[in-house]
Amino acid sequence: ATSRDLSTSGVKLQTSDALPVGEEFECLLEMDDHTMSRLTVHCQVRWCRPEGDHFLVGAQFMDLPKATHSRLAYFVNALTRVERGVLK
């Protein structure tokens, strides 16, 4: 799967197959930023819809440890600052 949106509460994924709402899975998040190590998070599918030849899936992070939440918040905040600079 490829991420299309990321927040501290969940992720929107592009997948080749539909995932049933309520399904839980482990997700390994690999960031483009070389300073961020991979994060493994437990997710639950909240919604799934077809889009063209793939599916978009909204997954909520479940039972996120404080340390993981902090690292994710740092990355999301840094990414938001970069995007603001690019879009101005």
Side-chain angles (χ1 to χ4, degrees):
T2 304
S3 64
R4 292 291 176 214
D5 193 11
L6 177 68
S7 74
T8 56
S9 61
V11 63
K12 179 171 39 173
L13 300 170
Q14 179 179 319
T15 64
S16 57
D17 297 312
L19 296 177
V21 171
E23 180 172 307
E24 295 186 13
F25 62 95
E26 294 296 315
C27 182
L28 176 63
L29 299 175
E30 293 184 0
M31 312 300 182
D32 289 340
D33 184 338
H34 73 281
T35 65
M36 285 287 295
S37 59
R38 297 177 183 154
L39 298 174
T40 301
V41 293
H42 185 78
C43 299
Q44 182 178 48
V45 175
R46 303 309 254 168
W47 56 266
C48 180
R49 66 175 180 254
E51 183 170 287
D53 63 348
H54 58 270
F55 293 86
L56 294 179
V57 176
Q60 179 181 4
F61 299 142
M62 307 297 292
D63 305 318
L64 205 58
K66 272 188 168 183
T68 302
H69 183 273
S70 295
R71 290 174 57 209
L72 193 55
Y74 174 82
F75 180 76
V76 169
N77 186 34
L79 185 61
T80 302
R81 284 194 316 266
V82 167
E83 286 177 347
R84 258 190 233 125
V86 169
L87 295 176
K88 285 186 177 178

